[in-house]
C-alpha cells in the first residue's frame, strides 16, 4: 500500500478590500446596502496551489478591521500544513481569551474557506466531492432586491427577479407602519402569482410584540414560506415566543456566531428553519458541524449569501432546503456562478470555482 500523499504547507495569505457595484441596491429595515464591501482572500500553498474565498463586510467602514484580523491570523498559520481542521484549532486556541465571535470568527471563516478551497484544488476535486458528496442543483430563490421601496417599484422588481429564471423571491419588510408592510406583501403576491414561492425578512427590525402582530397579519394572507429574523438575532427567548404564536414558519440563523450559538438557539426552540451564513458559522468547518445539528434536530437548513461556496455545502447537507442567491461578488469574479431553472449547482471543477477577475479587483479596490 502506498503512503498517503502529503499535503503542502501554507506559504502566504493575502486579504484585499473591494467595493463592488450592486445591480440592485438593497434597502432593509436595518439599513441600506448600495455597494458590496468585500474582503478577497488568497491562500497560497507551497506547491503553488491558491485557494480563494471572500467575506462580506456589510459596509465600507468594516473593511479595514476585517483585513487587519485576516492579516494577523495569517501570521499565525503560515507554515502550517494545509489541514483546515488543524488550522481552525490553532486559531481558536490563539483567540480563546478574546473570544471567537463577530469579526474574529468572520476572519477565521475566510481563512477556513480559502484553506478548504486550496485543499480541494490540491486533490483535484470540487469541494462538494472532497466533503464526500456530489455537486448537484440546489433549489434557489432570487434575493437580489425587493427592499423597502414603493409598491409600484416592488411589483416591477418582483416580476424582473422571477424573469431571471427563478420560482421564488424574498421580500424585505420592516416599515414603520404595519399596514404598509401588509400592502407590500399583497403587491408582490399579485405580481408573482399564486404558484411562485415568497419569503419575507424583517432584518431584526421589530419588537417581540410587534412581530407577533405583524406575523398574524401575514398568517391571515396565507402562502408565505417563512418569516425571517423578526427581532434581534440573539433574542432566542423572544423568537421562541414568536414561533409559538404564529402559523407561518420562523426562519433565523444568518447571525449564528458559530455552531455553538446555533445549538443554543435550537435548545431554546426558537425557530422552524435555520439558515447559517458561511462567514458567521465558521466557514466550511463550522458549516459541517451546523449541518449535523440541523439533521439531529430535524430542521431544514438553508444558506445565507455566499452562493458560490454554499452550493457546495448544501450539496452535502442532509436537510438542505433553499439556497439564497445573490450576485454581489459577480463583478470581481472571472466566472460567476450561473443559476439555471431556479436552481444553483456548484461547478464540477477543482475547489469552489472562485477565480478573481483581476482587472475588476483593481478597478473596485477600496
Amino acid at each position: 500500500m502506498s503512503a498517503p500523499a502529503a499535503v503542502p504547507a501554507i506559504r502566504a495569505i493575502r486579504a484585499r478590500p473591494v467595493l463592488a457595484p450592486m445591480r440592485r441596491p438593497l434597502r432593509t429595515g436595518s439599513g441600506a446596502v448600495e455597494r458590496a464591501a468585500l474582503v478577497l482572500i488568497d491562500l497560497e500553498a507551497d506547491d503553488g496551489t491558491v485557494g480563494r474565498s471572500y467575506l462580506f463586510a456589510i459596509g465600507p467602514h468594516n473593511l479595514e478591521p476585517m483585513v487587519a484580523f485576516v492579516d494577523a491570523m495569517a501570521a499565525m498559520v503560515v507554515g502550517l500544513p494545509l489541514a483546515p481542521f488543524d488550522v481552525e484549532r490553532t486559531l481558536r486556541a490563539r483567540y480563546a481569551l478574546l473570544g471567537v465571535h463577530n469579526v474574529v470568527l468572520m476572519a477565521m471563516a475566510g481563512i477556513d474557506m480559502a484553506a478548504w478551497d486550496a485543499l480541494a484544488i490540491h486533490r483535484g476535486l470540487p469541494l462538494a466531492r472532497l466533503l464526500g458528496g456530489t455537486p448537484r442543483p440546489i433549489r434557489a430563490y432570487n434575493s437580489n432586491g425587493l427592499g423597502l421601496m414603493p409598491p409600484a417599484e416592488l411589483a416591477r422588481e418582483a416580476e424582473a427577479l422571477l424573469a431571471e429564471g427563478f420560482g421564488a423571491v424574498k421580500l424585505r419588510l420592516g416599515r414603520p407602519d404595519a399596514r404598509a408592510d401588509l400592502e407590500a406583501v399583497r403587491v408582490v403576491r399579485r405580481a408573482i402569482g399564486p404558484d411562485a414561492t415568497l419569503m419575507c425578512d424583517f432584518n431584526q427590525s421589530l419588537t417581540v410584540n410587534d412581530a407577533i402582530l405583524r406575523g398574524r397579519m401575514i398568517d391571515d394572507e396565507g402562502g408565505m414560506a417563512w418569516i425571517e429574523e423578526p427581532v434581534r438575532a440573539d433574542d432566542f427567548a423572544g423568537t421562541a415566543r414568536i414561533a409559538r404564536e404564529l402559523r407561518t414558519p420562523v426562519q433565523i440563523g444568518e447571525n449564528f456566531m458559530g455552531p455553538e450559538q446555533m445549538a443554543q438557539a435550537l435548545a431554546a426552540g426558537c425557530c422552524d428553519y435555520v439558515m447559517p451564513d458561511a462567514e458567521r458559522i465558521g466557514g466550511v468547518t463550522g458549516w459541517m458541524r451546523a449541518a449535523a445539528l440541523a439533521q439531529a434536530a430535524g430542521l431544514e437548513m438553508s444558506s445565507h449569501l455566499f452562493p458560490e461556496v454554499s452550493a457546495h455545502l448544501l450539496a452535502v447537507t442532509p436537510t438542505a432546503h433553499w439556497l439564497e442567491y445573490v450576485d454581489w461578488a459577480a463583478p470581481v469574479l472571472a466566472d460567476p456562478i450561473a443559476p439555471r431553472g431556479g436552481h444553483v449547482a456548484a461547478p464540477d471543477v477543482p475547489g469552489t470555482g472562485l477565480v478573481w477577475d483581476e482587472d475588476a479587483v483593481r478597478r473596485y479596490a477600496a
Side-chain angles (χ1 to χ4, degrees):
M1 179 183 295
S2 60
V7 297
I10 298 171
R11 175 186 291 164
I13 297 174
R14 177 173 61 156
R16 295 177 287 174
V18 298
L19 285 171
M22 292 172 61
R23 285 192 304 137
R24 293 187 174 91
L26 188 62
R27 298 189 294 275
T28 75
S30 57
V33 182
E34 297 182 348
R35 292 182 295 173
L38 307 175
V39 176
L40 311 185
I41 299 174
D42 295 86
L43 184 151
E44 182 183 359
D46 62 9
D47 68 345
T49 300
V50 177
R52 301 173 180 87
S53 68
Y54 67 87
L55 298 173
F56 177 50
I58 309 296
H61 54 285
N62 296 320
L63 287 169
E64 184 176 355
M66 291 183 80
V67 169
F69 267 107
V70 173
D71 288 344
M73 292 178 187
M76 299 174 189
V77 301
V78 164
L80 294 181
L82 184 60
F85 288 129
D86 294 344
V87 171
E88 190 243 14
R89 183 169 57 249
T90 297
L91 290 175
R92 278 190 172 271
R94 294 294 297 271
Y95 282 93
L97 294 181
L98 182 60
V100 183
H101 301 285
N102 301 315
V103 68
V104 171
L105 181 56
M106 293 175 186
M108 284 179 55
I111 290 174
D112 181 88
M113 288 187 281
W116 277 103
D117 184 38
L119 183 60
I121 293 170
H122 173 73
R123 300 290 194 204
L125 296 170
L127 176 61
R129 292 191 190 279
L130 182 69
L131 296 174
T134 305
R136 60 183 177 86
I138 306 294
R139 185 173 55 165
Y141 64 92
N142 197 340
S143 199
N144 282 306
L146 293 186
L148 302 184
M149 57 179 63
E153 292 181 33
L154 280 174
R156 288 193 296 270
E157 189 151 284
E159 292 168 348
L161 292 172
L162 285 186
E164 293 177 4
F166 291 84
V169 294
K170 186 162 75 179
L171 171 67
R172 276 69 178 186
L173 300 176
R175 294 163 178 81
D177 187 340
R179 292 170 297 183
D181 270 349
L182 184 59
E183 177 60 17
V185 170
R186 290 172 174 171
V187 164
V188 171
R189 175 51 74 190
R190 285 196 297 268
I192 66 176
D195 296 330
T197 300
L198 178 62
M199 302 87 165
C200 71
D201 186 355
F202 282 97
N203 295 104
Q204 308 180 63
S205 61
L206 306 178
T207 65
V208 172
N209 289 327
D210 196 18
I212 291 171
L213 291 172
R214 296 193 191 206
R216 286 173 177 164
M217 294 166 64
I218 291 170
D219 281 347
D220 290 340
E221 291 298 302
M224 187 69 72
W226 70 59
I227 293 171
E228 186 177 330
E229 283 211 318
V231 298
R232 198 183 71 235
D234 61 354
D235 184 4
F236 297 151
T239 309
R241 182 182 159 206
I242 294 165
R244 289 194 300 268
E245 294 283 343
L246 302 184
R247 298 194 305 274
T248 304
V250 172
Q251 169 81 277
I252 68 169
E254 69 185 68
N255 284 293
F256 288 154
M257 287 296 165
E260 299 84 359
Q261 194 176 57
M262 177 170 162
Q264 294 166 7
L266 296 182
C270 65
C271 56
D272 302 290
Y273 300 139
V274 289
M275 56 181 310
D277 173 287
E279 173 177 292
R280 294 177 175 89
I281 204 68
V284 176
T285 299
W287 180 283
M288 299 303 290
R289 294 167 181 161
L293 292 174
Q295 181 186 26
L299 291 185
E300 293 90 338
M301 182 161 151
S302 298
S303 64
H304 179 255
L305 307 184
F306 305 100
E308 299 84 7
V309 67
S310 296
H312 289 272
L313 297 176
L314 284 169
V316 296
T317 298
T319 59
H321 197 198
W322 286 91
L323 180 142
E324 180 177 34
Y325 174 73
V326 294
D327 59 6
W328 298 350
V332 295
L333 296 180
D335 189 16
I337 197 163
R340 289 185 176 86
H343 292 72
V344 171
D348 200 357
V349 300
T352 61
L354 284 175
V355 178
W356 311 131
D357 177 341
E358 290 294 346
D359 288 338
V361 170
R362 287 187 289 272
R363 185 161 61 249
Y364 301 128

